[in-house]
Structure formats: structure tokens, C-alpha cells
Amino acid sequence: MQVCVYYNWKELNNIKIGKKENIEFNEYILHENNEPSLILPSKVYVEKITNDYLCFYFNFENISKTITYMNERNAFDILPNSLEVKIFIDYKDAKKNSINYEF
């Protein structure tokens, strides 16, 4: 599974170092086998650690009740009930205004 988040760099750059901000992003997409769905977070924050280093935190609860499938089956083979994601981002990893980490 893969989680994609689209965000606004200008808004992220306005966060002060050492501060956590609740920033709502445009989309939260959960993929299974390259089949997407939209999910809604329960809790979101971005912490600016240094000028070039950010921490993104996302918590998704009750995914099965809020998911919107965008595939023909209208289902996934595996669907987690909850998901917690904490990602550390270094601006030097950005290419064309996006960062893609795969786990």
C-alpha cells in the first residue's frame, strides 16, 4: 500500500522552526496495487525541525467508514482499520515540487 499527500510548499515554508502546525492538505490517497481511494485523516500536523527538514504526521481512524474507492471493484483486498504515518522530509529530496518515499 502507498499513501500520497498533495500539499502547498508556500504554506509549509511559513511554519516557524520548532513549531507544529495543523495544515489540511488537498488529498489523502491510499493505493493498493496502484488502485487509488480517498481517505480522510483524524489528525494531521507538520513540524518544522530546521529550514530544510520537516516532519509530517497523519493519523487515520475508521478508514473503512470514510474511504471513497476510485476503482471498478469498489473495494480493496486488504483494508486497514487505522493507519498512523510519521514521515521526515528533507527538501533536498524534492524533485519538481514533489517527494516520493516508498516503503
Side-chain angles (χ1 to χ4, degrees), residues 20-35:
K20 291 181 183 178
E21 297 286 335
N22 182 2
I23 295 180
E24 290 297 322
F25 299 93
N26 295 335
E27 292 182 349
Y28 303 85
I29 301 173
L30 179 65
H31 285 265
E32 180 191 64
N33 300 322
N34 293 321
E35 294 180 331

Side-chain angles (χ1 to χ4, degrees), residues 2-7 9 12 52-54 56 87-103:
Q2 178 185 36
V3 179
C4 299
V5 180
Y6 297 92
Y7 48 87
W9 282 106
L12 295 177
D52 298 324
Y53 206 61
L54 300 169
F56 288 72
I87 304 168
F88 293 90
I89 304 281
D90 191 332
Y91 280 153
K92 73 178 182 187
D93 295 334
K95 293 181 178 124
K96 297 183 182 178
N97 291 328
S98 68
I99 298 172
N100 186 19
Y101 292 105
E102 293 185 20
F103 302 94

